Amino acid sequence: MHHVDLIADIGLSIVAATGLGVLAKALRQPLLLAYLAAGILLGPRMGLGLVTDEATISLIAEIGLILLLFIIGLEIDLKKLAASGRTLVVTGLSQFPLGVALGLGFFGVLGFSLGQGRFDALYLAVALALSSTMIVVKLLYDKFELTTLPGRITLGVLVFQDVWAILFLAVQPNLADPAVGTVLWSFVKGGLLVAAALAVSKFLLPRLFAFIAKVPELLLVTAVSWCFLVSGAAEAAGLSREMGALVAGVSLSTFPYNVDVIAKVINIRDFFVTLFFVGLGMQIPVPTGELLGYAAMASAFLVASRFASVFPVLYGLKNGLRPSLICSINLAQMSEFSLVIAALGLQMGHISDQTVGILTFVFAATSVASTYMIQYNHEIHKVLASGLRRLGFRDVAGGGDREPGHKDPDIVFLGFFREASSIFQDIGDLRPAAGEPDGVDPGRPWPPEILVVDFNPAVMRELARRGVRCVYGDVANLDTLAHTHIESARVVVSSIPNSVLRGTTNQRILRMVKRLCRRARVVVTANTIGGAISLYADGADFVFVPRVHSSRRTAEVVLAFLDGVGDEVREAERTGLAARDEVLG
């Protein structure tokens, strides 16, 4: 009977989540809100009481969390995280302690207990210092922002938060008398788990995956098996299953098969994640005025504390207003991990039912609010940055004022991503031959004076190292372009397609540049033929269509192979790629 009830409960949860999800989509509301509403509707506390086995639903949903962290691990590029360097390490190490310190002060003033066997203020501070990996990664993944600089920093801080959460779980049973040895032992066990997983992934798993790579189904099963094996090992060592799943994913992240594994696991994950939020909705208690008041204050404090613990650190490390603000916005919600910590604290008698209720409502409220905040993080950033500039805050690299000694630019890159990196490299490679100092066109300056307008400090540092003038700024803002003094530019290039641009389009950039640089030739980018024709109609001098302008070389190679020639292509291409020294590899 229990088996039948379980299947019925899962079926009801999925049907309700689907129905409300379709309604939310039609009303342009976040799907997470629909899933929470489905749980409230089905649950015994405020709903129809159609599902009573909440514990089973929550247990199944935990599998979704494990799979989510496994996928996150697969997508973590340790080299890219390491490239973030001091920024990532300092922010990750400081954000949680700063958040907890602010929380202890805030909730202490509100009268929550701390000491004599009760730790409500501490649990509230810890819970609100952690952000939701599940929500942030899903939303940034959908916006294609995981690989941007703010996305990488956000993800890195989330990884550090997981480590902080594991450390708190280690000392949680001994809060009344915390022992230094317990914390150190947790460090040792975590280090041993990571070392063992990386060792197996380096020496044993490559051979196994090479053997089964031609059987896609077995490849998926093996990858998921590795996930649960490391997850189980973490639990056996007294660590978190979720942390084990993360370690398992990271250990496979350098494999050539990780993209295929992600594509197959992601659909399974979404099923369980839906149940996770439905189960959460079932657990939301009937609200009282006092409970809602505390939850509202705690939610407002969470958002404010993220800016207080993230923005000053990133801005102080000279990352500029944009990454500093966007990372603060991305992290402004409570973690599902916090609910686990609160549930354990309730079992141990450390906190009251009221504290658990407050955290549940804060999680629901900030989850919904964060969906909108991340969706419109660039628009929110513009408003906040404008206010901060009036208060005297400045972006890196002088904010775009003309610096003495700089010539007027010949070529201006508006935004600098991978396509711009390749174009920049090829401009250098196409320098005039010896004996022809000015090339075919006597009027062509050589070398050309290049200016790059972008908001990625890492790119700017590398370009500055190469002697290229850079201005930190948002290419979507007309004032930014006006203050960079590009009116004398001979060529202006926007090589970023609309699908990647945030807050603007190539059409808008074209109109702004035509207004500011009346003599410049303007190069913009389109992903479709129709989009390119429309840009030409609007006055573009050249429209870069990546798939079209990169297809000719490939077509030439295909025809050469068809004619039985082209044996030298592979080695020539490999050697040519190895010889390139691009800003973005």
Side-chain angles (χ1 to χ4, degrees), residues 29-30 32-33 36 135 362-373:
Q29 298 301 307
L32 295 184
L33 177 59
L36 288 168
I135 293 171
V362 170
F363 178 81
T366 57
S367 296
V368 174
S370 185
T371 302
Y372 292 105
M373 291 176 69

Side-chain angles (χ1 to χ4, degrees), residues 498-549:
N498 291 346
S499 58
V500 179
L501 284 171
R502 293 290 177 261
T504 190
T505 62
N506 276 274
Q507 285 82 359
R508 287 186 58 195
I509 289 175
L510 175 62
R511 287 195 292 270
M512 288 191 296
V513 173
K514 285 290 186 182
R515 175 179 170 185
L516 288 172
C517 314
R518 299 186 181 277
R519 294 180 297 173
R521 297 296 185 94
V522 186
V523 177
V524 286
T525 301
N527 277 333
T528 65
I529 303 298
I533 293 173
S534 176
L535 285 168
Y536 277 121
D538 289 341
D541 294 286
F542 179 77
V543 181
F544 174 49
V545 185
R547 62 187 176 91
V548 172
H549 294 107

Side-chain angles (χ1 to χ4, degrees), residues 262-278:
I262 292 171
K264 290 181 170 62
V265 174
I266 197 167
N267 293 324
I268 306 173
R269 179 211 66 184
D270 286 345
F271 172 79
F272 287 106
V273 166
T274 301
L275 288 180
F276 175 87
F277 283 105
V278 173

Side-chain angles (χ1 to χ4, degrees), residues 278-361:
V278 173
L280 175 66
M282 295 177 188
Q283 297 170 19
I284 296 178
V286 178
T288 64
E290 182 184 31
L291 188 65
L292 290 177
Y294 278 130
M297 287 189 290
S299 299
F301 165 78
L302 186 153
V303 176
S305 66
R306 280 300 183 276
F307 283 92
S309 61
V310 175
F311 174 80
V313 178
L314 287 174
Y315 186 78
L317 293 170
K318 302 186 184 304
N319 284 277
L321 291 177
R322 189 183 187 96
S324 304
L325 287 171
I326 289 180
C327 288
S328 303
I329 296 167
N330 290 346
L331 294 167
Q333 72 292 123
M334 197 182 92
S335 172
E336 54 280 340
F337 223 147
S338 300
L339 297 179
V340 175
I341 291 174
L344 292 174
L346 183 64
Q347 293 177 8
M348 298 174 187
H350 292 169
I351 57 176
S352 64
D353 291 330
Q354 182 191 44
T355 300
V356 177
I358 291 171
L359 290 175
T360 304
F361 275 103

Side-chain angles (χ1 to χ4, degrees), residues 363-384:
F363 178 81
T366 57
S367 296
V368 174
S370 185
T371 302
Y372 292 105
M373 291 176 69
I374 294 178
Q375 183 65 34
Y376 299 104
N377 54 8
H378 297 274
E379 289 77 7
I380 296 172
H381 148 261
K382 289 181 181 179
V383 175
L384 295 176

Side-chain angles (χ1 to χ4, degrees), residues 76 78 87 92 140 148 158 181 278 425 431 470 474 499 506 540 571:
I76 290 177
L78 293 177
T87 292
L140 292 183
T148 64
L158 289 170
V278 173
Q425 170 79 23
R431 63 175 56 88
C470 305
D474 183 1
S499 58
N506 276 274
E571 187 59 30

Side-chain angles (χ1 to χ4, degrees), residues 99-174:
V100 172
L102 292 170
L104 287 173
F106 179 78
F107 291 108
V109 170
L110 292 181
F112 285 88
S113 57
L114 180 61
Q116 299 180 349
R118 295 297 297 275
F119 302 95
D120 296 271
L122 176 61
Y123 272 82
L124 286 166
V126 169
L128 268 59
L130 300 172
S131 303
S132 174
T133 299
M134 179 182 297
I135 293 171
V136 173
V137 172
K138 177 173 176 54
L139 293 175
L140 292 183
Y141 185 89
D142 291 342
K143 289 187 69 180
F144 305 100
E145 290 188 12
L146 274 178
T147 57
T148 64
L149 177 67
R152 292 203 308 270
I153 295 176
T154 300
L155 182 57
V157 172
L158 289 170
V159 172
F160 272 95
Q161 286 184 357
D162 286 336
V163 176
W164 283 114
I166 297 303
L167 292 177
F168 183 79
L169 289 175
V171 302
Q172 190 176 17
N174 304 305

